[in-house]
PDB file of all heavy atoms in Angstrom:
ATOM      1  N   TYR A 462     -12.198 -25.597 -11.959  1.00  0.00           N
ATOM      2  CA  TYR A 462     -10.939 -25.834 -11.252  1.00  0.00           C
ATOM      3  C   TYR A 462     -10.313 -24.505 -10.818  1.00  0.00           C
ATOM      4  O   TYR A 462      -9.854 -24.363  -9.679  1.00  0.00           O
ATOM      5  CB  TYR A 462      -9.968 -26.603 -12.151  1.00  0.00           C
ATOM      6  CG  TYR A 462     -10.418 -27.992 -12.500  1.00  0.00           C
ATOM      7  CD1 TYR A 462     -10.997 -28.264 -13.742  1.00  0.00           C
ATOM      8  CD2 TYR A 462     -10.276 -29.041 -11.600  1.00  0.00           C
ATOM      9  CE1 TYR A 462     -11.424 -29.539 -14.076  1.00  0.00           C
ATOM     10  CE2 TYR A 462     -10.702 -30.320 -11.917  1.00  0.00           C
ATOM     11  CZ  TYR A 462     -11.276 -30.567 -13.151  1.00  0.00           C
ATOM     12  OH  TYR A 462     -11.696 -31.837 -13.468  1.00  0.00           O
ATOM     13  N   ALA A 463     -10.282 -23.545 -11.735  1.00  0.00           N
ATOM     14  CA  ALA A 463      -9.700 -22.240 -11.408  1.00  0.00           C
ATOM     15  C   ALA A 463     -10.500 -21.544 -10.318  1.00  0.00           C
ATOM     16  O   ALA A 463      -9.933 -21.024  -9.345  1.00  0.00           O
ATOM     17  CB  ALA A 463      -9.638 -21.373 -12.661  1.00  0.00           C
ATOM     18  N   ARG A 464     -11.809 -21.514 -10.462  1.00  0.00           N
ATOM     19  CA  ARG A 464     -12.659 -20.811  -9.500  1.00  0.00           C
ATOM     20  C   ARG A 464     -12.541 -21.430  -8.110  1.00  0.00           C
ATOM     21  O   ARG A 464     -12.372 -20.728  -7.107  1.00  0.00           O
ATOM     22  CB  ARG A 464     -14.128 -20.850  -9.953  1.00  0.00           C
ATOM     23  CG  ARG A 464     -14.394 -20.229 -11.308  1.00  0.00           C
ATOM     24  CD  ARG A 464     -15.884 -20.074 -11.573  1.00  0.00           C
ATOM     25  NE  ARG A 464     -16.662 -21.290 -11.418  1.00  0.00           N
ATOM     26  CZ  ARG A 464     -16.959 -22.151 -12.373  1.00  0.00           C
ATOM     27  NH1 ARG A 464     -16.488 -21.943 -13.610  1.00  0.00           N
ATOM     28  NH2 ARG A 464     -17.721 -23.216 -12.146  1.00  0.00           N
ATOM     29  N   SER A 465     -12.657 -22.750  -8.057  1.00  0.00           N
ATOM     30  CA  SER A 465     -12.702 -23.414  -6.754  1.00  0.00           C
ATOM     31  C   SER A 465     -11.346 -23.393  -6.063  1.00  0.00           C
ATOM     32  O   SER A 465     -11.258 -23.159  -4.846  1.00  0.00           O
ATOM     33  CB  SER A 465     -13.208 -24.852  -6.904  1.00  0.00           C
ATOM     34  OG  SER A 465     -12.412 -25.589  -7.815  1.00  0.00           O
ATOM     35  N   ARG A 466     -10.281 -23.635  -6.811  1.00  0.00           N
ATOM     36  CA  ARG A 466      -8.950 -23.599  -6.190  1.00  0.00           C
ATOM     37  C   ARG A 466      -8.576 -22.183  -5.751  1.00  0.00           C
ATOM     38  O   ARG A 466      -7.933 -21.998  -4.714  1.00  0.00           O
ATOM     39  CB  ARG A 466      -7.904 -24.141  -7.169  1.00  0.00           C
ATOM     40  CG  ARG A 466      -8.003 -25.641  -7.420  1.00  0.00           C
ATOM     41  CD  ARG A 466      -7.102 -26.055  -8.559  1.00  0.00           C
ATOM     42  NE  ARG A 466      -7.243 -27.474  -8.882  1.00  0.00           N
ATOM     43  CZ  ARG A 466      -6.993 -27.994 -10.081  1.00  0.00           C
ATOM     44  NH1 ARG A 466      -6.609 -27.198 -11.089  1.00  0.00           N
ATOM     45  NH2 ARG A 466      -7.139 -29.293 -10.286  1.00  0.00           N
ATOM     46  N   ALA A 467      -8.975 -21.180  -6.537  1.00  0.00           N
ATOM     47  CA  ALA A 467      -8.714 -19.794  -6.137  1.00  0.00           C
ATOM     48  C   ALA A 467      -9.432 -19.459  -4.835  1.00  0.00           C
ATOM     49  O   ALA A 467      -8.908 -18.704  -3.996  1.00  0.00           O
ATOM     50  CB  ALA A 467      -9.139 -18.834  -7.244  1.00  0.00           C
ATOM     51  N   ARG A 468     -10.629 -20.008  -4.651  1.00  0.00           N
ATOM     52  CA  ARG A 468     -11.341 -19.768  -3.383  1.00  0.00           C
ATOM     53  C   ARG A 468     -10.586 -20.391  -2.207  1.00  0.00           C
ATOM     54  O   ARG A 468     -10.506 -19.794  -1.133  1.00  0.00           O
ATOM     55  CB  ARG A 468     -12.768 -20.321  -3.481  1.00  0.00           C
ATOM     56  CG  ARG A 468     -13.678 -19.534  -4.404  1.00  0.00           C
ATOM     57  CD  ARG A 468     -15.149 -19.927  -4.228  1.00  0.00           C
ATOM     58  NE  ARG A 468     -15.423 -21.285  -4.666  1.00  0.00           N
ATOM     59  CZ  ARG A 468     -15.873 -21.620  -5.860  1.00  0.00           C
ATOM     60  NH1 ARG A 468     -16.088 -20.678  -6.774  1.00  0.00           N
ATOM     61  NH2 ARG A 468     -16.119 -22.884  -6.164  1.00  0.00           N
ATOM     62  N   VAL A 469     -10.021 -21.568  -2.410  1.00  0.00           N
ATOM     63  CA  VAL A 469      -9.236 -22.194  -1.339  1.00  0.00           C
ATOM     64  C   VAL A 469      -8.009 -21.340  -1.019  1.00  0.00           C
ATOM     65  O   VAL A 469      -7.679 -21.113   0.158  1.00  0.00           O
ATOM     66  CB  VAL A 469      -8.817 -23.627  -1.729  1.00  0.00           C
ATOM     67  CG1 VAL A 469      -7.871 -24.214  -0.686  1.00  0.00           C
ATOM     68  CG2 VAL A 469     -10.049 -24.516  -1.881  1.00  0.00           C
ATOM     69  N   ALA A 470      -7.334 -20.847  -2.051  1.00  0.00           N
ATOM     70  CA  ALA A 470      -6.146 -20.015  -1.834  1.00  0.00           C
ATOM     71  C   ALA A 470      -6.493 -18.765  -1.033  1.00  0.00           C
ATOM     72  O   ALA A 470      -5.794 -18.396  -0.079  1.00  0.00           O
ATOM     73  CB  ALA A 470      -5.526 -19.638  -3.178  1.00  0.00           C
ATOM     74  N   ALA A 471      -7.580 -18.097  -1.408  1.00  0.00           N
ATOM     75  CA  ALA A 471      -8.001 -16.896  -0.681  1.00  0.00           C
ATOM     76  C   ALA A 471      -8.410 -17.240   0.743  1.00  0.00           C
ATOM     77  O   ALA A 471      -8.141 -16.474   1.686  1.00  0.00           O
ATOM     78  CB  ALA A 471      -9.158 -16.220  -1.412  1.00  0.00           C
ATOM     79  N   GLY A 472      -9.057 -18.390   0.920  1.00  0.00           N
ATOM     80  CA  GLY A 472      -9.462 -18.798   2.258  1.00  0.00           C
ATOM     81  C   GLY A 472      -8.279 -19.013   3.172  1.00  0.00           C
ATOM     82  O   GLY A 472      -8.291 -18.593   4.345  1.00  0.00           O
ATOM     83  N   LEU A 473      -7.229 -19.639   2.668  1.00  0.00           N
ATOM     84  CA  LEU A 473      -6.025 -19.847   3.485  1.00  0.00           C
ATOM     85  C   LEU A 473      -5.380 -18.516   3.853  1.00  0.00           C
ATOM     86  O   LEU A 473      -4.892 -18.332   4.974  1.00  0.00           O
ATOM     87  CB  LEU A 473      -5.035 -20.737   2.728  1.00  0.00           C
ATOM     88  CG  LEU A 473      -5.485 -22.195   2.539  1.00  0.00           C
ATOM     89  CD1 LEU A 473      -4.571 -22.902   1.553  1.00  0.00           C
ATOM     90  CD2 LEU A 473      -5.508 -22.931   3.880  1.00  0.00           C
ATOM     91  N   LEU A 474      -5.379 -17.570   2.912  1.00  0.00           N
ATOM     92  CA  LEU A 474      -4.824 -16.249   3.188  1.00  0.00           C
ATOM     93  C   LEU A 474      -5.619 -15.539   4.279  1.00  0.00           C
ATOM     94  O   LEU A 474      -5.043 -14.973   5.217  1.00  0.00           O
ATOM     95  CB  LEU A 474      -4.826 -15.408   1.910  1.00  0.00           C
ATOM     96  CG  LEU A 474      -4.412 -13.942   2.063  1.00  0.00           C
ATOM     97  CD1 LEU A 474      -2.945 -13.825   2.431  1.00  0.00           C
ATOM     98  CD2 LEU A 474      -4.705 -13.166   0.777  1.00  0.00           C
ATOM     99  N   MET A 475      -6.941 -15.579   4.178  1.00  0.00           N
ATOM    100  CA  MET A 475      -7.783 -14.782   5.066  1.00  0.00           C
ATOM    101  C   MET A 475      -7.994 -15.407   6.443  1.00  0.00           C
ATOM    102  O   MET A 475      -8.399 -14.713   7.366  1.00  0.00           O
ATOM    103  CB  MET A 475      -9.144 -14.540   4.410  1.00  0.00           C
ATOM    104  CG  MET A 475      -9.107 -13.496   3.332  1.00  0.00           C
ATOM    105  SD  MET A 475      -8.756 -11.853   4.007  1.00  0.00           S
ATOM    106  CE  MET A 475      -8.336 -10.988   2.499  1.00  0.00           C
ATOM    107  N   THR A 476      -7.737 -16.681   6.595  1.00  0.00           N
ATOM    108  CA  THR A 476      -7.947 -17.314   7.904  1.00  0.00           C
ATOM    109  C   THR A 476      -6.649 -17.674   8.601  1.00  0.00           C
ATOM    110  O   THR A 476      -6.663 -18.063   9.763  1.00  0.00           O
ATOM    111  CB  THR A 476      -8.798 -18.589   7.764  1.00  0.00           C
ATOM    112  OG1 THR A 476      -8.125 -19.504   6.896  1.00  0.00           O
ATOM    113  CG2 THR A 476     -10.173 -18.273   7.215  1.00  0.00           C
TER     114      THR A 476
END
Side-chain angles (χ1 to χ4, degrees):
Y462 295 101
R464 301 190 306 267
S465 56
R466 290 170 184 154
R468 289 193 293 265
V469 174
L473 292 169
L474 174 67
M475 284 293 165
T476 59

